[in-house]
Amino acid sequence: MSNAPDPRELAELFHAVSRTMRRRTLAQLEPWGITPHHARALRSISETDRARLRDVADRLRIAARSATEVVDALEAKGLVTREPDPQDRRATLVSPTEDGLRLVEQIDAARAERNAEFFGALTAEDREALQRILGSLPLD
């Protein structure tokens, strides 16, 4: 008889951690009025000078229509701008504004603090083991 944890129990713990992190992320982003999805998109856009809308969709693994909706919301908040791609009239380029770049910095700083606090409950050895274990799981 094995003392190994039941995979169902592991899955439940994993989901509980994921829900906790998501709930904390939502609360943290609330003062800025953006969702985690918007924050991911803004970070992705800010990593390039100008990104094609199609590339944003690909990086976020969402449909082009969904990327358009996300960019619409970010543009309405003054966090990104759009312009036609001079290389391809059918394509749109998205760029972060100065406000968008500042917000990414603020979100990253708050996220680093939140993650340090959350994972600070683990020893350094446990964090290393967790990283190794999670890195070993098959991801889509």
Side-chain angles (χ1 to χ4, degrees):
M1 182 181 250
S2 172
N3 288 336
D6 183 327
R8 292 173 297 188
E9 290 176 28
L10 290 175
E12 286 301 317
L13 285 170
F14 190 82
H15 285 297
V17 168
S18 179
R19 282 190 305 271
T20 297
M21 291 189 77
R22 179 147 176 86
R23 189 176 59 250
R24 289 180 181 195
T25 298
L26 285 168
Q28 184 178 46
L29 294 174
E30 188 177 6
W32 291 301
I34 64 171
T35 67
H37 200 57
H38 293 154
R40 283 184 56 233
L42 183 58
R43 178 174 292 106
S44 175
I45 294 165
S46 73
E47 291 171 353
T48 64
D49 184 35
R50 298 184 323 187
R52 280 190 172 180
L53 197 52
R54 177 80 235 163
D55 294 335
V56 173
D58 290 346
R59 277 190 234 132
L60 297 176
R61 297 181 181 187
I62 60 176
R65 174 180 288 186
S66 296
T68 299
E69 292 171 2
V70 169
V71 169
D72 285 347
L74 294 173
E75 187 176 36
K77 293 182 178 300
L79 301 172
V80 300
T81 59
R82 284 187 233 219
E83 63 183 278
D85 185 341
Q87 309 291 325
D88 180 353
R89 292 185 327 200
R90 297 168 296 164
T92 300
L93 296 174
V94 183
S95 301
T97 63
E98 289 300 317
D99 285 346
L101 292 172
R102 271 192 299 279
L103 182 56
V104 168
E105 288 177 9
Q106 293 170 349
I107 290 170
D108 284 350
R111 183 179 182 199
E113 184 178 317
R114 183 193 76 232
N115 289 340
E117 177 185 317
F118 186 77
F119 291 107
L122 302 175
T123 66
E125 293 81 17
D126 285 346
R127 287 192 302 273
E128 287 175 13
L130 181 60
Q131 183 174 7
R132 180 186 52 75
I133 292 165
L134 293 176
S136 299
L137 294 174
L139 304 176
D140 293 336

